[in-house]
Amino acid sequence: MLILYTAYTFDVLPAVVAGMVGAMLFWQLTYGTSVYWVSFFGANRQARISRRDMFVYIWALNCPWVLFALLGLYVSIRLIVDGDYSVLGY
């Protein structure tokens, strides 16, 4: 993660390399959270907690992990396809 922050800020890696590293990282974050959700609902654990707790602890706390990881995946793919850092604004 620190390598990506450095690459995005100071342009120390080629955009394609940063995109590949980012794609691997953000895919793993998306995949891990999705597997957690599937295992949680597949084991029928939602029956053990209230609706409020399910919203707070399962949806509200895990949605940012998926949504921001998908945004990072989009940026990473654009870095690979475009070959430059223009998707980041420079």
Side-chain angles (χ1 to χ4, degrees):
M1 191 74 101
L2 292 176
I3 293 170
L4 287 179
Y5 289 149
T6 306
Y8 292 167
T9 304
F10 301 114
D11 193 16
V12 294
L13 288 175
V16 175
V17 174
M20 284 189 256
V21 171
M24 290 185 290
L25 172 72
F26 293 121
W27 173 256
Q28 187 63 37
L29 289 173
T30 304
Y31 174 76
T33 307
S34 301
V35 166
Y36 168 73
W37 274 338
V38 168
S39 66
F40 181 82
F41 289 109
N44 202 23
R45 293 184 187 220
Q46 73 274 14
R48 297 179 184 174
I49 61 175
S50 69
R51 288 179 151 265
R52 180 187 155 295
D53 286 346
M54 186 167 61
F55 174 76
V56 170
Y57 297 114
I58 306 304
W59 292 108
L61 294 177
N62 287 306
C63 279
W65 285 97
V66 172
L67 296 177
F68 288 120
L70 288 175
L71 176 64
L73 193 59
Y74 168 76
V75 169
S76 298
I77 290 171
R78 288 283 310 273
L79 288 172
I80 295 168
V81 171
D82 296 344
D84 58 10
Y85 286 97
S86 63
V87 69
L88 297 172
Y90 57 88

